[in-house]
Amino acid sequence: MTETTHLQTMPPGDGARTRSPEYRVAVDSLRGLRQDLFHNAFAYRPLPRRRTDGRIIRRLPARLREYATWTPHALIATAALITLLLSGVDTDGEALLVAPLTVLPVLLTMLRPVLAFWLSMAATPVTGMIGSGWGDWPWQAGSFACHLTVLTVVAIRTRPRTAGWMWALTALYALIVDAGFGPTYYYGTNSGPMLVFSAMILLCVTVWHIRRDAVQEVTAQQTVTAHERSRRTLLEERTTIARELHDVVAHHMSVVAIQAEAAPYRVENPPPELEKAFATIRENAVAALTELRRVLGVVRAEDYEAPDAPQPTLADLDGLLANVREAGLNVDKAVTGAVRELPQGVELSAYRIAQEALSNTLRHAPGATARVEIGYVLGGLGLRVVNGPPPNPSLIKPSPGAGHGITGMRERVSMLNGEMTAGRTDDGGYEVTVFLPVALPDEDDA
């Protein structure tokens, strides 16, 4: 019995896929280090001015607000001045050499932040050798303040990963110089305070970064949510209106088709031309009804059922007013002009608008009085629903609504090419005024 061993060769490039997760993390980290601290070292990033829409700056006078936009630059310049003063401590006359090495990195953070970090790291051993204060090894007083300031500013202006790499390189430098250079045996080292202070500062800056990003993300999500809610509200209202208008138009088209089919039987010995005309009318009505259902039927939900009762009109407004009176709203009605029958879409929209306006009164102004005014004019229908201020505003509870009512009113008016205004009155109440145009009879005949 012979045993055969098959050796499989791995295609080129598959070896990278079998690397351990730790190896990939290390490679990604080194790639991030190279990108953050080497490729971006000479990136020109001027410090932007402070925005004028802040909570404090926007309350200042215009002239002071202009100066307040330079606050970040002034703070960095102040830190550079403090560093300059500290550079003269225990330098025995070498302040003219130490000062530029400690001040330039601080000022450079306003233009090239990553390069400022490298310049501070390079200046630290030089200032340590020039200064005579061996008790401040490896960071002299000016160098200590300089490096802390640079780490803080660069951490604020970059991302937390870059700040972490900077702190790690600072710790590596402290470990090397403390182990092999300097009189640490006699005088000690100040690497511990440097690493502790810088770690605390970078931790605070990182938390600030995370909080700022979280606030921006929440704000963006709220904006998207509000936009989607508005779109959903608009689509819901349009869907409702389309359903109602579909029922209205479908009803009339069905009546036209039935009457066209029955008309020839009501005439004794109708001429062929009349029968053909009525047949054509019926065919067109059925075709239009089919096309209408095909186009508007997509807005119906699967569980939507057509109402058994006819759609309400202005003739049913008295019943609506009786219902809201039973709910506790004192409402009056006034009608001006010659009452006449209007297109069903106009009467339905006017009824729904009055219904929504009265519902808003019950919800937002409990105990207030309301008035519904209907005006039949030559070119259309005018509707005005106004309510007074609530007698006890403290009883009003915050409404969880999202403004669907006003949006629905405007959609109804817009679909009928009407006009609408809605807003608060001078006495603290609310008013909704609508005009729905209606074509004149002679215009229809034309």
Side-chain angles (χ1 to χ4, degrees):
M1 187 172 182
T2 305
E3 182 178 347
T4 304
T5 303
H6 296 280
L7 298 178
Q8 295 182 353
T9 59
M10 187 176 299
D14 287 352
R17 301 178 183 176
T18 61
R19 301 290 187 182
S20 64
E22 293 80 4
Y23 175 82
R24 291 197 295 269
V25 170
V27 170
D28 293 339
S29 300
L30 293 177
R31 187 180 296 113
L33 171 64
R34 184 172 65 252
Q35 178 67 30
D36 294 340
L37 297 184
F38 292 96
H39 289 179
N40 296 336
F42 294 93
Y44 179 69
R45 295 181 55 194
L47 181 65
R49 297 168 63 179
R50 188 178 179 85
R51 297 171 57 181
T52 59
D53 56 353
R55 289 181 295 180
I56 299 177
I57 294 183
R58 64 186 179 187
R59 299 176 181 176
L60 299 175
R63 188 165 185 176
L64 292 180
R65 196 183 307 125
E66 179 67 21
Y67 292 128
T69 58
W70 296 99
T71 302
H73 304 78
L75 291 176
I76 294 178
T78 303
L81 180 60
I82 295 174
T83 303
L84 177 64
L85 296 177
L86 293 175
S87 299
V89 179
D90 296 332
T91 53
D92 294 340
E94 284 82 7
L96 294 178
L97 298 177
V98 176
L101 295 177
T102 57
V103 173
L104 286 178
V106 177
L107 298 177
L108 191 60
T109 57
M110 292 187 288
L111 298 177
R112 304 182 189 274
V114 179
L115 183 61
F117 166 76
W118 286 115
L119 182 59
S120 177
M121 289 292 297
T124 297
V126 177
T127 57
M129 298 300 297
I130 294 177
S132 59
W134 291 107
D136 294 333
W137 176 263
W139 278 278
Q140 299 294 321
S143 181
F144 194 97
C146 169
H147 200 65
L148 274 182
T149 303
V150 169
L151 283 178
T152 303
V153 176
V154 176
I156 292 175
R157 299 202 59 201
T158 57
R159 50 186 174 179
R161 187 181 73 177
T162 305
W165 282 120
M166 292 180 179
W167 187 89
L169 292 179
T170 301
L172 179 62
Y173 168 79
L175 179 64
I176 294 175
V177 297
D178 288 346
F181 305 95
T184 57
Y185 181 78
Y186 297 100
Y187 298 100
T189 176
N190 59 359
S191 296
M194 165 60 75
L195 296 180
V196 172
F197 289 152
S198 61
M200 294 178 61
I201 292 175
L202 296 184
L203 178 62
C204 294
V205 173
T206 301
V207 172
W208 174 79
H209 271 294
I210 295 174
R211 183 182 180 277
R212 184 193 62 178
D213 294 341
V215 170
Q216 292 178 351
E217 183 176 356
V218 170
T219 303
Q221 289 296 332
Q222 290 177 345
T223 303
V224 173
T225 302
H227 180 68
E228 291 297 328
R229 185 186 299 116
S230 177
R231 288 190 60 215
R232 186 170 63 252
T233 300
L234 184 64
L235 291 177
E236 289 175 356
E237 295 298 334
R238 285 182 175 178
T239 299
T240 303
I241 297 169
R243 287 171 179 170
E244 294 177 347
L245 293 180
H246 173 269
D247 294 335
V248 172
V249 177
H251 168 73
H252 287 296
M253 294 300 295
S254 299
V255 171
V256 170
I258 294 174
Q259 290 181 347
E261 185 177 6
Y265 298 99
R266 297 182 179 181
V267 179
E268 185 178 358
N269 298 323
E273 293 82 2
L274 183 61
E275 292 183 353
K276 183 177 181 181
F278 279 118
T280 303
I281 293 175
R282 182 183 181 280
E283 292 176 359
N284 291 334
V286 172
L289 183 60
T290 303
E291 185 67 17
L292 177 67
R293 286 174 175 169
R294 184 185 68 81
V295 175
L296 296 183
V298 296
V299 302
R300 292 182 179 273
E302 293 181 358
D303 56 349
Y304 175 79
E305 296 181 0
D308 296 333
Q311 295 297 312
T313 63
L314 290 177
D316 303 309
L317 189 60
D318 291 336
L320 174 64
L321 298 182
N323 289 334
V324 296
R325 289 192 185 103
E326 293 178 359
L329 179 62
N330 185 10
V331 56
D332 297 328
K333 185 183 79 167
V335 180
T336 59
V339 179
R340 65 184 187 276
E341 184 177 356
L342 299 175
Q344 189 169 357
V346 173
E347 296 213 3
L348 173 63
S349 296
Y351 179 91
R352 295 299 189 196
I353 292 172
Q355 183 183 39
E356 183 62 33
L358 294 175
S359 299
N360 289 340
T361 303
L362 286 171
R363 188 182 305 114
H364 301 290
T369 60
R371 181 177 177 84
V372 178
E373 300 176 359
I374 302 174
Y376 290 87
V377 295
L378 189 61
L381 176 70
L383 175 65
R384 179 174 179 263
V385 181
V386 59
N387 63 268
N392 194 351
S394 61
L395 298 179
I396 301 176
K397 298 180 180 180
S399 176
H404 292 201
I406 298 298
T407 303
M409 294 181 194
R410 296 192 185 280
E411 281 298 311
R412 291 181 181 276
V413 174
S414 177
M415 292 186 66
L416 296 174
N417 296 323
E419 299 178 358
M420 171 181 167
T421 58
R424 295 197 174 276
T425 58
D426 296 336
D427 60 353
Y430 202 84
E431 178 182 353
V432 176
T433 305
V434 173
F435 176 75
L436 302 177
V438 176
L440 298 177
D442 56 346
E443 293 181 0
D444 294 337
D445 296 338

